[in-house]
Short mmCIF file of all heavy atoms in Angstrom, two decimals:
data_model
loop_
_atom_site.label_atom_id
_atom_site.label_comp_id
_atom_site.label_asym_id
_atom_site.label_seq_id
_atom_site.Cartn_x
_atom_site.Cartn_y
_atom_site.Cartn_z
N PRO A 10 -5.42 5.06 19.44
CA PRO A 10 -6.71 5.64 19.81
C PRO A 10 -7.87 4.92 19.12
O PRO A 10 -7.86 4.76 17.90
CB PRO A 10 -6.60 7.09 19.35
CG PRO A 10 -5.13 7.36 19.25
CD PRO A 10 -4.50 6.06 18.90
N LYS A 11 -8.84 4.48 19.89
CA LYS A 11 -9.97 3.72 19.33
C LYS A 11 -10.80 4.55 18.37
O LYS A 11 -11.29 4.05 17.36
CB LYS A 11 -10.85 3.18 20.46
CG LYS A 11 -10.18 2.09 21.25
CD LYS A 11 -11.05 1.56 22.34
CE LYS A 11 -10.30 0.50 23.13
NZ LYS A 11 -11.07 -0.08 24.20
N ALA A 12 -10.94 5.84 18.65
CA ALA A 12 -11.71 6.71 17.75
C ALA A 12 -11.02 6.85 16.40
O ALA A 12 -11.68 6.90 15.37
CB ALA A 12 -11.91 8.08 18.40
N ALA A 13 -9.70 6.87 16.41
CA ALA A 13 -8.95 6.97 15.16
C ALA A 13 -9.11 5.69 14.33
O ALA A 13 -9.30 5.74 13.11
CB ALA A 13 -7.47 7.23 15.43
N VAL A 14 -9.08 4.56 15.00
CA VAL A 14 -9.29 3.28 14.31
C VAL A 14 -10.69 3.24 13.70
O VAL A 14 -10.87 2.86 12.55
CB VAL A 14 -9.08 2.10 15.29
CG1 VAL A 14 -9.47 0.79 14.65
CG2 VAL A 14 -7.63 2.05 15.77
N ALA A 15 -11.69 3.67 14.45
CA ALA A 15 -13.07 3.67 13.96
C ALA A 15 -13.24 4.63 12.78
O ALA A 15 -13.94 4.32 11.82
CB ALA A 15 -14.03 4.06 15.09
N LEU A 16 -12.58 5.79 12.84
CA LEU A 16 -12.66 6.75 11.74
C LEU A 16 -12.09 6.16 10.47
O LEU A 16 -12.72 6.24 9.40
CB LEU A 16 -11.89 8.03 12.11
CG LEU A 16 -11.77 9.08 11.01
CD1 LEU A 16 -13.14 9.62 10.63
CD2 LEU A 16 -10.85 10.19 11.45
N LEU A 17 -10.94 5.54 10.56
CA LEU A 17 -10.33 4.96 9.35
C LEU A 17 -11.18 3.82 8.80
O LEU A 17 -11.40 3.73 7.60
CB LEU A 17 -8.92 4.49 9.64
CG LEU A 17 -8.12 4.04 8.42
CD1 LEU A 17 -7.98 5.16 7.42
CD2 LEU A 17 -6.74 3.55 8.85
N ARG A 18 -11.69 2.98 9.69
CA ARG A 18 -12.57 1.88 9.22
C ARG A 18 -13.82 2.42 8.52
O ARG A 18 -14.28 1.85 7.55
CB ARG A 18 -12.99 1.00 10.38
CG ARG A 18 -11.94 0.04 10.83
CD ARG A 18 -12.55 -1.03 11.73
NE ARG A 18 -11.51 -1.86 12.29
CZ ARG A 18 -10.94 -2.87 11.64
NH1 ARG A 18 -11.31 -3.17 10.43
NH2 ARG A 18 -10.00 -3.58 12.23
N GLY A 19 -14.34 3.53 9.02
CA GLY A 19 -15.53 4.11 8.41
C GLY A 19 -15.28 4.75 7.07
O GLY A 19 -16.17 4.80 6.21
N CYS A 20 -14.07 5.23 6.84
CA CYS A 20 -13.76 5.92 5.58
C CYS A 20 -13.26 5.01 4.49
O CYS A 20 -13.41 5.32 3.31
CB CYS A 20 -12.71 7.01 5.85
SG CYS A 20 -13.33 8.36 6.86
N VAL A 21 -12.68 3.89 4.87
CA VAL A 21 -12.16 2.95 3.88
C VAL A 21 -13.24 1.92 3.61
O VAL A 21 -13.72 1.26 4.52
CB VAL A 21 -10.86 2.27 4.38
CG1 VAL A 21 -10.36 1.26 3.36
CG2 VAL A 21 -9.80 3.32 4.66
N SER A 22 -13.63 1.81 2.35
CA SER A 22 -14.78 0.97 2.03
C SER A 22 -14.48 -0.53 2.05
O SER A 22 -15.37 -1.33 2.23
CB SER A 22 -15.35 1.36 0.67
OG SER A 22 -14.35 1.26 -0.31
N HIS A 23 -13.24 -0.92 1.86
CA HIS A 23 -12.90 -2.34 1.83
C HIS A 23 -12.27 -2.75 3.16
O HIS A 23 -11.28 -2.17 3.58
CB HIS A 23 -11.92 -2.65 0.69
CG HIS A 23 -12.46 -2.29 -0.65
ND1 HIS A 23 -13.52 -2.95 -1.22
CD2 HIS A 23 -12.11 -1.32 -1.53
CE1 HIS A 23 -13.78 -2.43 -2.40
NE2 HIS A 23 -12.95 -1.43 -2.61
N ASP A 24 -12.86 -3.77 3.80
CA ASP A 24 -12.34 -4.23 5.07
C ASP A 24 -10.91 -4.72 4.99
O ASP A 24 -10.10 -4.48 5.88
CB ASP A 24 -13.23 -5.34 5.64
CG ASP A 24 -14.54 -4.81 6.20
OD1 ASP A 24 -14.59 -3.61 6.52
OD2 ASP A 24 -15.48 -5.60 6.32
N SER A 25 -10.56 -5.39 3.90
CA SER A 25 -9.19 -5.92 3.78
C SER A 25 -8.19 -4.78 3.67
O SER A 25 -7.10 -4.84 4.26
CB SER A 25 -9.07 -6.86 2.59
OG SER A 25 -9.37 -6.17 1.39
N ALA A 26 -8.54 -3.72 2.94
CA ALA A 26 -7.65 -2.57 2.83
C ALA A 26 -7.52 -1.87 4.18
O ALA A 26 -6.42 -1.47 4.58
CB ALA A 26 -8.16 -1.59 1.78
N ALA A 27 -8.63 -1.74 4.89
CA ALA A 27 -8.59 -1.12 6.21
C ALA A 27 -7.75 -1.92 7.18
O ALA A 27 -6.94 -1.37 7.92
CB ALA A 27 -10.01 -0.94 6.75
N ASN A 28 -7.92 -3.23 7.17
CA ASN A 28 -7.13 -4.09 8.07
C ASN A 28 -5.64 -4.00 7.77
O ASN A 28 -4.82 -3.97 8.69
CB ASN A 28 -7.61 -5.54 7.98
CG ASN A 28 -8.96 -5.74 8.62
OD1 ASN A 28 -9.37 -4.96 9.47
ND2 ASN A 28 -9.65 -6.77 8.20
N THR A 29 -5.29 -3.96 6.49
CA THR A 29 -3.89 -3.84 6.11
C THR A 29 -3.31 -2.52 6.59
O THR A 29 -2.23 -2.48 7.18
CB THR A 29 -3.74 -3.96 4.58
OG1 THR A 29 -4.24 -5.23 4.16
CG2 THR A 29 -2.29 -3.81 4.15
N MET A 30 -4.03 -1.42 6.33
CA MET A 30 -3.55 -0.11 6.77
C MET A 30 -3.44 -0.04 8.28
O MET A 30 -2.45 0.47 8.83
CB MET A 30 -4.48 0.99 6.26
CG MET A 30 -4.27 1.31 4.81
SD MET A 30 -5.24 2.72 4.32
CE MET A 30 -6.68 1.89 3.68
N LEU A 31 -4.46 -0.53 8.97
CA LEU A 31 -4.44 -0.48 10.43
C LEU A 31 -3.30 -1.31 10.99
O LEU A 31 -2.65 -0.92 11.98
CB LEU A 31 -5.78 -0.95 11.00
CG LEU A 31 -6.94 0.04 10.79
CD1 LEU A 31 -8.27 -0.63 11.13
CD2 LEU A 31 -6.74 1.29 11.63
N GLY A 32 -3.01 -2.44 10.38
CA GLY A 32 -1.89 -3.27 10.82
C GLY A 32 -0.56 -2.57 10.63
O GLY A 32 0.30 -2.57 11.54
N ASP A 33 -0.38 -1.94 9.48
CA ASP A 33 0.86 -1.21 9.22
C ASP A 33 1.00 -0.02 10.17
O ASP A 33 2.08 0.23 10.70
CB ASP A 33 0.91 -0.73 7.77
CG ASP A 33 1.05 -1.87 6.77
OD1 ASP A 33 1.41 -2.98 7.19
OD2 ASP A 33 0.80 -1.63 5.58
N LEU A 34 -0.08 0.72 10.35
CA LEU A 34 -0.05 1.86 11.27
C LEU A 34 0.27 1.40 12.70
O LEU A 34 1.00 2.07 13.42
CB LEU A 34 -1.38 2.61 11.24
CG LEU A 34 -1.67 3.43 9.99
CD1 LEU A 34 -3.08 3.98 10.04
CD2 LEU A 34 -0.66 4.56 9.83
N TYR A 35 -0.30 0.28 13.10
CA TYR A 35 -0.08 -0.23 14.45
C TYR A 35 1.39 -0.58 14.69
O TYR A 35 1.94 -0.29 15.75
CB TYR A 35 -0.97 -1.44 14.71
CG TYR A 35 -0.86 -1.98 16.11
CD1 TYR A 35 -1.25 -1.20 17.20
CD2 TYR A 35 -0.36 -3.25 16.35
CE1 TYR A 35 -1.14 -1.70 18.50
CE2 TYR A 35 -0.26 -3.74 17.64
CZ TYR A 35 -0.65 -2.96 18.71
OH TYR A 35 -0.53 -3.43 19.99
N GLU A 36 2.02 -1.18 13.70
CA GLU A 36 3.43 -1.54 13.84
C GLU A 36 4.30 -0.29 14.06
O GLU A 36 5.15 -0.26 14.94
CB GLU A 36 3.91 -2.29 12.60
CG GLU A 36 3.40 -3.69 12.50
CD GLU A 36 3.85 -4.39 11.22
OE1 GLU A 36 4.77 -3.86 10.54
OE2 GLU A 36 3.30 -5.44 10.91
N VAL A 37 4.05 0.73 13.26
CA VAL A 37 4.83 1.97 13.40
C VAL A 37 4.47 2.68 14.70
O VAL A 37 5.32 3.25 15.38
CB VAL A 37 4.62 2.90 12.18
CG1 VAL A 37 5.41 4.19 12.34
CG2 VAL A 37 5.04 2.18 10.90
N PHE A 38 3.19 2.61 15.08
CA PHE A 38 2.74 3.20 16.34
C PHE A 38 3.51 2.59 17.51
O PHE A 38 4.00 3.32 18.39
CB PHE A 38 1.23 2.96 16.50
CG PHE A 38 0.68 3.32 17.84
CD1 PHE A 38 0.41 4.64 18.17
CD2 PHE A 38 0.43 2.34 18.79
CE1 PHE A 38 -0.10 4.98 19.41
CE2 PHE A 38 -0.06 2.66 20.04
CZ PHE A 38 -0.34 3.99 20.35
N LEU A 39 3.65 1.27 17.52
CA LEU A 39 4.40 0.61 18.60
C LEU A 39 5.87 1.03 18.61
O LEU A 39 6.44 1.29 19.67
CB LEU A 39 4.29 -0.91 18.47
CG LEU A 39 2.94 -1.53 18.77
CD1 LEU A 39 2.98 -3.04 18.52
CD2 LEU A 39 2.50 -1.23 20.18
N ASP A 40 6.46 1.11 17.42
CA ASP A 40 7.86 1.53 17.33
C ASP A 40 8.02 2.96 17.86
O ASP A 40 8.96 3.24 18.61
CB ASP A 40 8.35 1.47 15.89
CG ASP A 40 8.51 0.03 15.38
OD1 ASP A 40 8.55 -0.89 16.23
OD2 ASP A 40 8.57 -0.14 14.15
N ARG A 41 7.13 3.84 17.49
CA ARG A 41 7.22 5.24 17.93
C ARG A 41 6.98 5.36 19.43
O ARG A 41 7.61 6.17 20.10
CB ARG A 41 6.26 6.12 17.16
CG ARG A 41 6.72 6.39 15.74
CD ARG A 41 5.73 7.30 15.02
NE ARG A 41 6.25 7.63 13.73
CZ ARG A 41 6.89 8.77 13.45
NH1 ARG A 41 7.07 9.66 14.37
NH2 ARG A 41 7.35 9.00 12.24
N ALA A 42 6.03 4.58 19.93
CA ALA A 42 5.73 4.64 21.37
C ALA A 42 6.94 4.18 22.17
O ALA A 42 7.23 4.75 23.22
CB ALA A 42 4.52 3.77 21.69
N GLU A 43 7.65 3.19 21.67
CA GLU A 43 8.82 2.68 22.38
C GLU A 43 10.02 3.62 22.23
O GLU A 43 10.74 3.88 23.19
CB GLU A 43 9.19 1.29 21.87
CG GLU A 43 10.27 0.62 22.65
CD GLU A 43 10.51 -0.81 22.21
OE1 GLU A 43 9.68 -1.37 21.47
OE2 GLU A 43 11.56 -1.34 22.59
N ALA A 44 10.21 4.13 21.03
CA ALA A 44 11.39 4.96 20.76
C ALA A 44 11.24 6.39 21.28
O ALA A 44 12.22 6.99 21.72
CB ALA A 44 11.68 4.99 19.26
N LYS A 45 10.03 6.93 21.21
CA LYS A 45 9.85 8.33 21.59
C LYS A 45 8.96 8.41 22.82
O LYS A 45 9.43 8.40 23.93
CB LYS A 45 9.29 9.12 20.41
CG LYS A 45 10.27 9.13 19.24
CD LYS A 45 9.85 10.02 18.14
CE LYS A 45 10.93 9.97 17.04
NZ LYS A 45 10.66 10.86 15.96
N SER A 46 7.66 8.51 22.58
CA SER A 46 6.72 8.54 23.71
C SER A 46 5.35 8.12 23.22
O SER A 46 5.05 8.20 22.02
CB SER A 46 6.64 9.94 24.33
OG SER A 46 5.95 10.83 23.46
N LEU A 47 4.52 7.71 24.13
CA LEU A 47 3.15 7.31 23.78
C LEU A 47 2.37 8.50 23.25
O LEU A 47 1.60 8.38 22.29
CB LEU A 47 2.46 6.69 24.99
CG LEU A 47 1.07 6.11 24.75
CD1 LEU A 47 1.09 5.06 23.65
CD2 LEU A 47 0.53 5.51 26.04
N THR A 48 2.57 9.66 23.83
CA THR A 48 1.87 10.88 23.37
C THR A 48 2.26 11.20 21.92
O THR A 48 1.39 11.48 21.09
CB THR A 48 2.21 12.07 24.28
OG1 THR A 48 1.82 11.74 25.61
CG2 THR A 48 1.51 13.32 23.82
N GLN A 49 3.54 11.14 21.61
CA GLN A 49 3.99 11.42 20.26
C GLN A 49 3.48 10.37 19.29
O GLN A 49 3.09 10.67 18.17
CB GLN A 49 5.53 11.48 20.22
CG GLN A 49 6.11 12.11 18.97
CD GLN A 49 6.23 11.16 17.80
OE1 GLN A 49 6.19 9.93 17.95
NE2 GLN A 49 6.35 11.71 16.62
N ALA A 50 3.44 9.12 19.72
CA ALA A 50 2.94 8.05 18.87
C ALA A 50 1.45 8.24 18.57
O ALA A 50 1.00 8.02 17.45
CB ALA A 50 3.18 6.70 19.52
N ARG A 51 0.69 8.63 19.57
CA ARG A 51 -0.74 8.88 19.35
C ARG A 51 -0.96 10.05 18.42
O ARG A 51 -1.84 10.02 17.56
CB ARG A 51 -1.44 9.11 20.69
CG ARG A 51 -1.61 7.86 21.48
CD ARG A 51 -2.37 8.10 22.75
NE ARG A 51 -2.61 6.83 23.42
CZ ARG A 51 -2.63 6.68 24.72
NH1 ARG A 51 -2.45 7.73 25.53
NH2 ARG A 51 -2.84 5.51 25.24
N PHE A 52 -0.17 11.11 18.62
CA PHE A 52 -0.29 12.27 17.72
C PHE A 52 0.02 11.85 16.30
O PHE A 52 -0.70 12.19 15.34
CB PHE A 52 0.66 13.39 18.17
CG PHE A 52 0.64 14.58 17.27
CD1 PHE A 52 -0.41 15.49 17.32
CD2 PHE A 52 1.67 14.80 16.36
CE1 PHE A 52 -0.43 16.59 16.47
CE2 PHE A 52 1.65 15.89 15.52
CZ PHE A 52 0.60 16.80 15.58
N TRP A 53 1.10 11.12 16.08
CA TRP A 53 1.47 10.65 14.75
C TRP A 53 0.35 9.78 14.15
O TRP A 53 0.01 9.92 12.99
CB TRP A 53 2.77 9.83 14.83
CG TRP A 53 3.12 9.19 13.53
CD1 TRP A 53 3.80 9.74 12.49
CD2 TRP A 53 2.73 7.87 13.10
NE1 TRP A 53 3.88 8.84 11.45
CE2 TRP A 53 3.23 7.69 11.81
CE3 TRP A 53 2.03 6.84 13.70
CZ2 TRP A 53 3.04 6.52 11.09
CZ3 TRP A 53 1.83 5.66 12.99
CH2 TRP A 53 2.34 5.51 11.70
N TYR A 54 -0.21 8.91 14.98
CA TYR A 54 -1.26 8.00 14.52
C TYR A 54 -2.47 8.80 14.03
O TYR A 54 -3.01 8.53 12.97
CB TYR A 54 -1.67 7.07 15.66
CG TYR A 54 -2.47 5.87 15.22
CD1 TYR A 54 -1.82 4.69 14.87
CD2 TYR A 54 -3.85 5.91 15.17
CE1 TYR A 54 -2.56 3.58 14.47
CE2 TYR A 54 -4.59 4.80 14.77
CZ TYR A 54 -3.93 3.64 14.42
OH TYR A 54 -4.64 2.55 14.02
N TRP A 55 -2.90 9.78 14.80
CA TRP A 55 -4.02 10.63 14.40
C TRP A 55 -3.73 11.35 13.09
O TRP A 55 -4.61 11.43 12.21
CB TRP A 55 -4.37 11.64 15.49
CG TRP A 55 -5.36 11.14 16.48
CD1 TRP A 55 -5.13 10.82 17.79
CD2 TRP A 55 -6.76 10.90 16.25
NE1 TRP A 55 -6.29 10.40 18.38
CE2 TRP A 55 -7.31 10.44 17.47
CE3 TRP A 55 -7.59 11.02 15.15
CZ2 TRP A 55 -8.65 10.11 17.60
CZ3 TRP A 55 -8.94 10.69 15.28
CH2 TRP A 55 -9.44 10.24 16.48
N CYS A 56 -2.53 11.88 12.95
CA CYS A 56 -2.17 12.56 11.70
C CYS A 56 -2.28 11.63 10.50
O CYS A 56 -2.80 12.01 9.44
CB CYS A 56 -0.75 13.13 11.80
SG CYS A 56 -0.60 14.53 12.93
N GLN A 57 -1.80 10.42 10.66
CA GLN A 57 -1.86 9.44 9.57
C GLN A 57 -3.31 9.07 9.24
O GLN A 57 -3.69 8.97 8.08
CB GLN A 57 -1.06 8.18 9.92
CG GLN A 57 0.40 8.42 10.14
CD GLN A 57 1.06 9.10 8.96
OE1 GLN A 57 0.94 8.63 7.83
NE2 GLN A 57 1.74 10.19 9.22
N VAL A 58 -4.11 8.87 10.28
CA VAL A 58 -5.52 8.50 10.07
C VAL A 58 -6.28 9.63 9.38
O VAL A 58 -7.06 9.40 8.47
CB VAL A 58 -6.19 8.10 11.41
CG1 VAL A 58 -7.69 8.04 11.29
CG2 VAL A 58 -5.63 6.77 11.87
N PHE A 59 -6.04 10.88 9.81
CA PHE A 59 -6.70 12.01 9.14
C PHE A 59 -6.30 12.09 7.68
O PHE A 59 -7.16 12.30 6.81
CB PHE A 59 -6.38 13.33 9.85
CG PHE A 59 -7.18 13.57 11.09
CD1 PHE A 59 -6.57 14.04 12.23
CD2 PHE A 59 -8.55 13.33 11.15
CE1 PHE A 59 -7.28 14.25 13.40
CE2 PHE A 59 -9.29 13.55 12.29
CZ PHE A 59 -8.65 14.01 13.42
N ALA A 60 -5.03 11.92 7.38
CA ALA A 60 -4.58 12.00 5.99
C ALA A 60 -5.19 10.89 5.15
O ALA A 60 -5.68 11.14 4.04
CB ALA A 60 -3.05 11.94 5.94
N LEU A 61 -5.17 9.67 5.64
CA LEU A 61 -5.75 8.55 4.89
C LEU A 61 -7.26 8.68 4.75
O LEU A 61 -7.82 8.43 3.68
CB LEU A 61 -5.40 7.23 5.57
CG LEU A 61 -3.94 6.79 5.45
CD1 LEU A 61 -3.64 5.66 6.42
CD2 LEU A 61 -3.64 6.37 4.02
N SER A 62 -7.93 9.07 5.82
CA SER A 62 -9.39 9.21 5.78
C SER A 62 -9.79 10.28 4.79
O SER A 62 -10.74 10.10 4.01
CB SER A 62 -9.92 9.57 7.16
OG SER A 62 -9.63 8.55 8.08
N PHE A 63 -9.08 11.39 4.78
CA PHE A 63 -9.38 12.48 3.86
C PHE A 63 -9.22 12.00 2.42
O PHE A 63 -10.08 12.25 1.57
CB PHE A 63 -8.45 13.67 4.15
CG PHE A 63 -8.73 14.86 3.30
CD1 PHE A 63 -9.88 15.61 3.47
CD2 PHE A 63 -7.82 15.24 2.33
CE1 PHE A 63 -10.13 16.72 2.69
CE2 PHE A 63 -8.05 16.36 1.54
CZ PHE A 63 -9.22 17.10 1.72
N ARG A 64 -8.14 11.28 2.16
CA ARG A 64 -7.89 10.77 0.82
C ARG A 64 -9.00 9.82 0.36
O ARG A 64 -9.50 9.90 -0.76
CB ARG A 64 -6.54 10.06 0.78
CG ARG A 64 -6.18 9.55 -0.60
CD ARG A 64 -4.81 8.95 -0.62
NE ARG A 64 -3.82 9.97 -0.29
CZ ARG A 64 -2.71 9.75 0.40
NH1 ARG A 64 -2.43 8.54 0.81
NH2 ARG A 64 -1.87 10.71 0.66
N TYR A 65 -9.39 8.91 1.25
CA TYR A 65 -10.44 7.95 0.87
C TYR A 65 -11.81 8.60 0.75
O TYR A 65 -12.62 8.21 -0.08
CB TYR A 65 -10.47 6.77 1.84
CG TYR A 65 -9.48 5.71 1.45
CD1 TYR A 65 -8.15 5.79 1.85
CD2 TYR A 65 -9.86 4.65 0.63
CE1 TYR A 65 -7.23 4.83 1.46
CE2 TYR A 65 -8.95 3.70 0.24
CZ TYR A 65 -7.63 3.79 0.65
OH TYR A 65 -6.72 2.85 0.24
N LEU A 66 -12.08 9.61 1.57
CA LEU A 66 -13.35 10.33 1.43
C LEU A 66 -13.40 11.09 0.12
O LEU A 66 -14.43 11.11 -0.55
CB LEU A 66 -13.56 11.27 2.61
CG LEU A 66 -13.99 10.61 3.91
CD1 LEU A 66 -14.06 11.65 5.03
CD2 LEU A 66 -15.33 9.92 3.76
N LEU A 67 -12.30 11.73 -0.26
CA LEU A 67 -12.26 12.42 -1.55
C LEU A 67 -12.48 11.45 -2.69
O LEU A 67 -13.18 11.75 -3.66
CB LEU A 67 -10.94 13.15 -1.73
CG LEU A 67 -10.75 14.43 -0.95
CD1 LEU A 67 -9.37 15.01 -1.24
CD2 LEU A 67 -11.83 15.44 -1.28
N ARG A 68 -11.87 10.29 -2.59
CA ARG A 68 -12.05 9.27 -3.62
C ARG A 68 -13.50 8.83 -3.71
O ARG A 68 -14.06 8.67 -4.79
CB ARG A 68 -11.16 8.07 -3.29
CG ARG A 68 -10.64 7.36 -4.49
CD ARG A 68 -9.79 6.21 -4.08
NE ARG A 68 -8.39 6.61 -4.04
CZ ARG A 68 -7.41 5.80 -3.71
NH1 ARG A 68 -7.67 4.56 -3.37
NH2 ARG A 68 -6.16 6.22 -3.72
N ARG A 69 -14.13 8.63 -2.56
CA ARG A 69 -15.53 8.21 -2.52
C ARG A 69 -16.45 9.30 -3.08
O ARG A 69 -17.36 9.03 -3.85
CB ARG A 69 -15.94 7.86 -1.09
CG ARG A 69 -17.31 7.24 -1.01
CD ARG A 69 -17.68 6.89 0.40
NE ARG A 69 -16.79 5.87 0.93
CZ ARG A 69 -16.82 5.46 2.18
NH1 ARG A 69 -17.67 5.98 3.02
NH2 ARG A 69 -16.00 4.52 2.59
N ILE A 70 -16.19 10.54 -2.71
CA ILE A 70 -17.00 11.66 -3.21
C ILE A 70 -16.81 11.80 -4.71
O ILE A 70 -17.76 12.04 -5.44
CB ILE A 70 -16.61 12.97 -2.48
CG1 ILE A 70 -17.10 12.92 -1.04
CG2 ILE A 70 -17.19 14.18 -3.19
CD1 ILE A 70 -16.55 14.02 -0.17
N GLY A 71 -15.59 11.64 -5.18
CA GLY A 71 -15.32 11.74 -6.61
C GLY A 71 -16.06 10.70 -7.41
O GLY A 71 -16.50 10.96 -8.52
N ARG A 72 -16.24 9.53 -6.84
CA ARG A 72 -16.98 8.47 -7.56
C ARG A 72 -18.48 8.76 -7.60
O ARG A 72 -19.13 8.45 -8.57
CB ARG A 72 -16.76 7.14 -6.88
CG ARG A 72 -15.49 6.49 -7.26
CD ARG A 72 -15.48 5.05 -6.80
NE ARG A 72 -14.11 4.71 -6.47
CZ ARG A 72 -13.72 4.17 -5.34
NH1 ARG A 72 -14.59 3.88 -4.42
NH2 ARG A 72 -12.47 3.92 -5.13
#
Side-chain angles (χ1 to χ4, degrees):
K11 290 181 182 180
V14 172
L16 174 64
L17 188 60
R18 282 195 187 278
C20 293
V21 178
S22 58
H23 301 293
D24 285 338
S25 61
N28 289 337
T29 300
M30 282 187 265
L31 288 169
D33 291 344
L34 288 173
Y35 183 64
E36 287 178 13
V37 178
F38 171 79
L39 290 177
D40 290 343
R41 285 182 175 262
E43 187 175 346
K45 297 187 179 183
S46 72
L47 185 56
T48 302
Q49 195 276 343
R51 286 183 175 146
F52 178 77
W53 173 86
Y54 195 90
W55 270 110
C56 290
Q57 298 305 307
V58 166
F59 281 135
L61 288 167
S62 298
F63 183 70
R64 182 176 298 146
Y65 274 85
L66 284 176
L67 284 179
R68 212 180 266 180
R69 188 179 296 174
I70 289 169
R72 278 193 213 128

